[in-house]
């Protein structure tokens, strides 16, 4: 049996009782360490907080492990209970669908333990979840790579008066181009996009596209460390948020569509 | 302090450790009993399973209690720790934003404990959460009341190739019209819309509107008891799903947009 267990967003205590029971049954426990970050996932302190709580050692599975060694994990799961821990909910990110498909093909039973994810926890700002349109991802722009396909999606959402959740780029364990050229992988330090960078890039794209999807006066909500004790939520115009320091990652951003009165009242609680 | 605590979707063990700690601290615990249903929320067995686990008695707060007596609950929360339990995540439904706004106005601190909600747990079918458009609600049609504003929303989502989550009507503790006329409230038995009824109504509206937003061959995914041990997930055409018996509530429905190959592979696992 493969247990795919959502850990929620904050710390080790955001696991559900059901999730914890499943972890305790498992003979081996992996934790994905690439689609997302938790305070407890990326520091040795944090990881040992999890291990202490679970009474199990945890093997961190980075992008390479999951892509290259997943079949080994799935073979283990054919004959014993294996846990695969995922920050947030197991189906917030693409890769875990893939894991389930591969498991089923190998005849491995899969049990999913759900939890909160950024996709629903953004509801805390008071914008109704059912009034969001398509979610977009904002990638780090480089000198030569400035993909802006998010722009049309935001434009379409805003035409319909819908809110847009912007997921901001995370670069963890990326091999440096230089090291790849030398045939030996060396990794860049991890990078997490801030709301400031996201808004800069958004405004740059609006400037070049000029289709008035949004502008510097458009109301947004910035989030940092959503779901954790020190989360920060601030509602303000793009212009104001661009200079706001949200502190450590993860950040995300919502571009606000048309609002209902109850939504407005909630946003006022988070005004800059 | 007012703790607004998400219970997740399945049973009493879907609460998080953080949520359970908060409940144990509270001098009084309420549970909302109107926006949603859980096996444990609507049977006395289920409620006592919660009470046993928490070591607390729980006061069920139906629609009237929340609307009429919320200020009493909030006054209690000014001087002691009060828990307000919510099926799913606290911000899946409108009313809890309202609760937070009213709490803040009375100077009551609010802590939110997130959990899984239908808005993210539908990810289990393999359709990517970021490719959903606006969520719609399908109300029970009556002889004289057949609101179809969901139709345009689905049409717009489908134009953009997006999936549509349809939340299906729940009628719990609705006063009967007859009893209201007599000046004494008597309640209708609870009703939960099935996927079959939802699809019938959807096709009826397509028939009268005729704008080809979808048709009986459109692929959908039906869900029942999402997140619980006996959940059922089935992907098929509307025509096929209309005759499929998903069993007890709650049901919900996703109208599938354009799909990516990984999404297709996952849907095949759930094919009829």
């Amino acid at each position: 049996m493969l247990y795919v267990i959502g850990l929620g967003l904050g710390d080790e205590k955001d696991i559900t009782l059901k999730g914890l029971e499943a972890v305790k049954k498992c003979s081996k426990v992996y934790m994905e360490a690439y689609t997302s970050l938790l305070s407890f996932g990326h520091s040795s302190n944090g990881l040992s907080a999890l291990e202490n709580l679970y009474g199990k050692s945890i093997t961190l599975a980075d992008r390479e492990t999951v892509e290259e060694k997943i079949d080994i994990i799935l073979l283990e799961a054919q004959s014993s209970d294996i846990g695969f821990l995922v920050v947030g909910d197991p189906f917030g990110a693409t890769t875990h669908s893939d894991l389930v498909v591969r498991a089923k093909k190998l005849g491995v039973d899969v049990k999913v333990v759900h939890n909160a994810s950024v996709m629903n926890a953004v509801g805390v700002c008071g914008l109704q979840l059912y009034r969001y349109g398509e979610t977009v991802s904002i990638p780090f722009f480089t000198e030569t790579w400035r993909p802006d396909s998010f722009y049309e999606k935001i434009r379409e959402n805003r035409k319909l008066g819908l809110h847009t959740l912007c997921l901001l780029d995370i670069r963890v364990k990326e091999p440096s181009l230089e090291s790849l050229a030398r045939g030996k992988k060396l990794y860049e330090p991890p990078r997490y996009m801030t709301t400031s960078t996201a808004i800069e890039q958004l405004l740059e794209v609006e400037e070049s596209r000029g289709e008035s999807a949004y502008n510097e006066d458009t109301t947004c909500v910035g989030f940092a460390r959503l779901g954790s004790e020190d989360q920060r939520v601030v509602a303000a115009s793009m212009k104001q948020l661009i200079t706001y320091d949200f502190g450590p990652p993860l950040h995300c951003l919502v571009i606000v569509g048309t609002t209902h009165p109850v939504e407005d009242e909630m946003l006022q609680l988070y005004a800059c």
Side-chain angles (χ1 to χ4, degrees), chain A:
Chain A
M1 176 78 79
L2 177 70
Y3 289 93
V4 188
I5 300 163
L7 297 183
L9 296 169
D11 59 34
E12 72 277 10
K13 290 189 177 167
D14 284 297
I15 195 168
T16 64
L17 301 188
K18 197 173 275 174
L20 185 58
E21 277 184 6
V23 170
K24 286 183 183 290
K25 266 198 280 197
C26 290
S27 58
K28 197 152 182 193
V29 180
Y30 296 89
M31 175 170 168
E32 62 103 28
Y34 62 96
T35 53
S36 199
L37 156 138
L38 270 186
S39 47
F40 55 78
H42 281 255
S43 68
S44 55
N45 283 352
L47 192 61
S48 58
L50 280 179
E51 291 179 324
N52 290 340
L53 180 67
Y54 302 163
K56 298 266 171 187
S57 76
I58 296 170
T59 307
L60 276 187
D62 59 26
R63 187 187 295 261
E64 285 167 45
T65 309
V66 175
E67 285 174 6
E68 292 167 16
K69 295 180 193 152
I70 193 64
D71 289 338
I72 298 171
I73 297 175
L74 292 176
L75 280 177
E76 294 173 333
Q78 283 182 326
S79 54
S80 59
D81 289 336
I82 301 295
F84 191 81
L85 310 181
V86 174
V87 175
D89 185 76
F91 293 99
T94 320
T95 327
H96 309 113
S97 296
D98 196 42
L99 179 68
V100 172
V101 169
R102 290 166 79 170
K104 297 271 183 178
K105 282 183 181 165
L106 287 169
V108 173
D109 282 330
V110 178
K111 268 206 178 168
V112 171
V113 182
H114 289 290
N115 210 318
S117 73
V118 62
M119 308 293 285
N120 68 347
V122 290
V124 77
C125 76
L127 298 171
Q128 298 299 326
L129 290 182
Y130 57 82
R131 301 200 53 254
Y132 279 74
E134 185 168 9
T135 299
V136 304
S137 294
I138 315 268
F140 276 118
F141 284 178
T142 68
E143 286 293 307
T144 52
W145 194 69
R146 306 175 96 71
D148 62 3
S149 62
F150 54 79
Y151 185 79
E152 289 97 62
K153 293 173 186 171
I154 298 170
R155 189 189 60 206
E156 294 305 313
N157 286 344
R158 290 183 59 79
K159 264 192 212 164
L160 297 168
L162 302 174
H163 315 309
T164 307
L165 171 60
C166 305
L167 300 175
L168 309 187
D169 205 356
I170 297 171
R171 298 279 165 134
V172 179
K173 220 173 172 189
E174 296 279 328
S176 70
L177 285 177
E178 198 193 7
S179 78
L180 283 177
R182 289 187 192 160
K184 193 184 159 193
K185 282 189 189 170
L186 287 172
Y187 298 102
E188 306 267 4
R191 291 170 73 204
Y192 308 97
M193 188 182 285
T194 61
T195 52
S196 294
T197 302
I199 294 172
E200 274 169 26
Q201 293 192 182
L202 282 163
L203 290 174
E204 178 192 313
V205 172
E206 176 58 61
E207 176 93 10
S208 64
R209 302 283 292 255
E211 298 168 46
S212 302
Y214 48 82
N215 60 52
E216 61 175 21
D217 295 317
T218 300
T219 303
C220 291
V221 185
F223 299 82
R225 302 169 302 285
L226 184 59
S228 70
E229 292 293 318
D230 69 338
Q231 77 174 10
R232 195 161 297 175
V233 181
V234 179
S237 68
M238 285 196 178
K239 187 170 56 187
Q240 290 170 305
L241 282 182
I242 211 167
T243 59
Y244 190 90
D245 180 5
F246 279 90
L250 294 177
H251 295 183
C252 68
L253 184 72
V254 170
I255 303 174
V256 181
T258 53
T259 47
H260 293 172
V262 180
E263 292 182 313
D264 287 330
E265 278 197 293
M266 276 289 279
L267 286 187
Q268 278 162 28
L269 298 177
Y270 296 110
C272 207

